[in-house]
């Protein structure tokens, strides 16, 4: 299984659109891994996780492979993960030769927003609700939504993805996982865990995690026996509010065996 991280920033991106803070200014000067777009991932080229407003930019950067997916799974309806107005661009008035029907999966809020936005273009999309702890076979993978601690008015999900015995936990957006999510994961083996590190050194572990919570989650995984020697834990979804450059994040996380995501990072398992 190949996982390409298309973006690695929280909702505002880095540098944030309107921001003149010290981190955003430094990021503009340094470029490279310090430029972060809104998060999304491509799994094996046929499955996309989330559809941020930066999808257009991701296609400019990476080419058609970003728009050739057959399946789209959505974590929750915050705009940095779900921008259905641009999904609508995959219809005949806005695109030609775009291929077969795309399958979109998500919670009830995602399904409702899809129906509202794509009301006149239903023939180009299959829109399917998914439920926590119910495993679905999607694009040659087994995909299980798990409850997150994120959006109180919505069943936000993180996703556990399995293919040919290999596994990836797409673990954001969320604060420290609910106990029921840890309990479900306790029966599994995790090859790659991608975790929410929005808050950096800020003292907050609910709704989003911080560095301490990412380290604690890795320790909890170890305690549950779900990691092995070659398992990788990757922190992502960074906010400019934490004020940390890529190098700063590496100094704080790599000594603890946690990798720091960047736009375009590829993970293979
Ligand atoms: Zn987010
Ligand atoms: Zn800023
Ligand atoms: Zn969110």
């Amino acid at each position: 299984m190949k996982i390409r991280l298309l973006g690695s920033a929280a909702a505002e991106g880095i540098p944030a659109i309107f921001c003149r803070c010290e981190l955003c200014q430094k990021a503009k000067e340094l470029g490279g891994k310090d430029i972060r777009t809104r998060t999304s991932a491509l799994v094996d080229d046929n499955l996309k996780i989330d559809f941020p407003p930066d999808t257009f930019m991701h296609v400019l950067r990476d080419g058609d492979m970003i728009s050739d997916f057959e399946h789209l799974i959505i974590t929750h309806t915050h705009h940095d993960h779900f921008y259905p107005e641009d999904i609508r661009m995959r219809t005949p008035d806005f695109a030609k030769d775009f291929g077969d029907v795309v399958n979109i999966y998500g919670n009830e809020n995602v399904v409702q927003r899809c129906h509202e936005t794509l009301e006149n273009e239903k023939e180009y999309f299959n829109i399917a609700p998914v439920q926590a702890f119910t495993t679905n076979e999607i694009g040659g993978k087994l995909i299980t939504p798990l409850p997150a601690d994120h959006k109180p008015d919505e069943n936000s999900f993180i996703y556990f993805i399995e293919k040919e015995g290999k596994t990836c936990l797409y673990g954001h957006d969320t604060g420290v996982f609910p106990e029921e999510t840890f309990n479900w994961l306790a029966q599994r083996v995790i090859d790659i865990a991608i975790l929410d590190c929005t808050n950096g050194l800020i003292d907050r572990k609910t709704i989003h995690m911080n560095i301490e919570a990412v380290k604690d989650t890795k320790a909890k995984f170890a305690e549950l026996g779900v990691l092995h020697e070659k398992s990788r834990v990757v922190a992502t979804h960074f906010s400019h509010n934490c004020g940390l450059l890529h190098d700063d994040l590496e100094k704080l996380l790599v000594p603890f065996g946690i990798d720091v995501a960047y736009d375009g990072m590829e993970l293979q398992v």
Side-chain angles (χ1 to χ4, degrees), residues 168-179:
C168 172
L169 175 68
Y170 195 77
H172 68 91
D173 292 0
T174 183
V176 172
F177 298 170
E179 207 52 41

Side-chain angles (χ1 to χ4, degrees), residues 104-235:
I104 306 175
Y105 309 85
N107 65 25
E108 52 269 36
N109 303 66
V110 169
V111 167
Q112 190 190 333
R113 286 278 310 282
C114 279
H115 283 307
E116 286 163 10
T117 313
L118 306 171
E119 199 182 325
N120 299 319
E121 289 97 5
K122 281 179 188 150
E123 63 202 277
Y124 306 104
F125 305 96
N126 281 327
I127 301 158
V130 291
Q131 287 176 343
F133 304 119
T134 301
T135 301
N136 311 275
E137 197 181 336
I138 297 173
K141 299 167 224 344
L142 296 176
I143 299 192
T144 310
L146 302 172
D149 163 33
H150 187 57
K151 199 167 178 286
D153 60 347
E154 177 177 328
N155 291 315
S156 291
F157 293 138
I158 57 175
Y159 285 100
F160 190 75
I161 305 168
E162 303 167 70
K163 186 193 166 191
E164 293 162 1
K166 302 293 183 188
T167 67
C168 172
L169 175 68
Y170 195 77
H172 68 91
D173 292 0
T174 183
V176 172
F177 298 170
E179 207 52 41
E180 54 182 344
T181 294
F182 274 126
N183 290 342
W184 190 92
L185 289 168
Q187 314 301 319
R188 269 79 192 174
V189 171
I190 301 176
D191 294 310
I192 297 175
I194 300 162
L195 300 177
D196 187 320
C197 197
T198 308
N199 292 330
L201 294 169
I202 297 164
D203 185 20
R204 181 159 189 200
K205 302 178 184 180
T206 56
I207 310 292
H208 288 292
M209 295 204 265
N210 60 9
I211 285 174
E212 196 183 330
V214 169
K215 290 196 272 189
D216 288 350
T217 301
K218 189 186 175 208
K220 174 106 179 185
F221 285 160
E223 185 190 313
L224 295 171
V226 300
L227 299 180
H228 55 82
E229 247 180 30
K230 290 185 178 167
S231 294
R232 286 185 76 177
V233 176
V234 180

Side-chain angles (χ1 to χ4, degrees), residues 241-262:
N241 287 323
C242 70
L244 300 168
L245 291 167
H246 187 83
D247 272 358
D248 302 325
L249 289 161
E250 285 202 324
K251 279 178 199 137
L252 291 161
L253 287 161
V254 172
F256 296 88
I258 298 162
D259 293 320
V260 178
Y262 53 89

Side-chain angles (χ1 to χ4, degrees), residues 15-16 19-25 240-241:
C19 190
R20 303 286 184 273
C21 81
E22 203 185 327
L23 177 78
C24 289
Q25 299 289 38
H240 77 129
N241 287 323

Side-chain angles (χ1 to χ4, degrees), residues 75-81 150-151 156 173-174 207-208 237:
T75 55
H76 63 297
T77 62
H78 278 153
H79 91 287
D80 55 320
H81 298 260
H150 187 57
K151 199 167 178 286
S156 291
D173 292 0
T174 183
I207 310 292
H208 288 292
H237 199 276

